[in-house]
Amino acid sequence: MIAALYVETGGCYFGLPGVDPWDEARDARRYAGPHPVVAHPPCERWGDMWMGSPLVIARTGERKELGDDGGCFEAALSAVRAWGGVLEHPEGSRAWASFGLFTPPRSGGWVMADWQGGWTCRVEQVAYGHPVRKPTWLYAHGVDLPSLKWGVDPRNLPSMVQPSKARLAAGRTPSISLHGVRPNKRRATPTAFRDLLISIAETANAQAEAA
């Protein structure tokens, strides 16, 4: 059994044999084992727009706090370290520096992430079927480390799909994004990438049995 933490209700982790999905209603911060995990903690407060939309800030004067995700990333990282598995976040996530994790190289390859046995790497989800580049950092602990599809895609692809200024000003995501990619597709984890993350987490069981 694998626990999929911080996943979309009814999304790609639901209905899979051997996968226990934890969506917002279940509150993955409460996960206490014992299964290895695949974790997708929310990233809004860790990226370049952590403070919120500039247009909304200009209109309201309200700014978000860096890293104010309700403790989701910290809980996800603790779960991966405690039970084995893998966590994903966008490239450039400020959570890496905030939690003392080393930055992986853009060229790819697993490198040491911390002094607690963790490993990190950079991949692009376009290599696994995403419609845009979507560069991603992974943190893994207590698992086998497979060779992935490393490097930067040579095509002239956007890194991600941005919402329109009008919808950002209204505090909303776009109904139809640039490049014809709808927001649910932008946020979604490709099936091949999901299966890869699950396969990595599954090796935590093998390592535990061998220990």
Side-chain angles (χ1 to χ4, degrees):
M1 181 67 71
I2 298 298
L5 309 183
Y6 308 96
V7 297
E8 183 180 1
T9 303
C12 66
Y13 286 94
F14 278 73
L16 296 179
V19 175
D20 179 25
W22 287 65
D23 59 6
E24 185 175 2
R26 292 187 71 184
D27 191 354
R29 293 172 298 180
R30 298 164 46 217
Y31 181 71
H35 307 300
V37 305
V38 173
H40 297 273
C43 60
E44 289 82 0
R45 301 282 76 85
W46 296 106
D48 290 340
M49 298 276 287
W50 59 265
M51 73 295 293
S53 163
L55 296 176
V56 173
I57 294 171
R59 189 180 73 240
T60 67
E62 296 179 2
R63 290 170 57 92
K64 305 294 186 181
E65 295 292 330
L66 175 63
D68 185 17
D69 66 353
C72 290
F73 188 92
E74 182 177 14
L77 183 63
S78 295
V80 171
R81 286 170 170 167
W83 309 108
V86 60
L87 176 157
E88 73 88 21
H89 237 218
E91 177 186 34
S93 168
R94 288 166 172 79
W96 253 240
S98 292
F99 288 89
L101 306 180
F102 306 140
T103 300
R106 293 191 79 227
S107 57
W110 293 100
V111 298
M112 187 173 66
D114 53 30
W115 302 106
Q116 300 188 45
W119 296 85
T120 185
C121 72
R122 177 196 184 273
V123 293
E124 293 186 354
Q125 292 191 37
V126 67
Y128 296 90
H130 201 281
V132 295
R133 192 180 299 280
K134 200 174 182 181
T136 300
W137 285 351
L138 300 180
Y139 175 88
H141 190 281
V143 294
D144 295 338
L145 303 175
S147 178
L148 305 180
K149 298 176 182 178
W150 309 119
V152 178
D153 192 291
R155 293 173 291 175
N156 185 26
L157 297 171
S159 291
M160 60 183 63
V161 180
Q162 298 292 348
S164 70
K165 290 183 178 180
R167 295 188 71 87
L168 278 175
R172 296 179 293 170
T173 55
S175 58
I176 297 180
S177 302
L178 299 177
H179 313 288
V181 183
R182 291 183 179 272
N184 61 328
K185 292 289 186 181
R186 177 170 57 91
R187 294 190 300 266
T189 299
T191 300
F193 196 62
R194 174 204 68 189
D195 293 345
L196 169 68
L197 298 181
I198 290 174
S199 71
I200 293 174
E202 286 175 336
T203 66
N205 289 319
Q207 288 206 5
E209 291 171 359

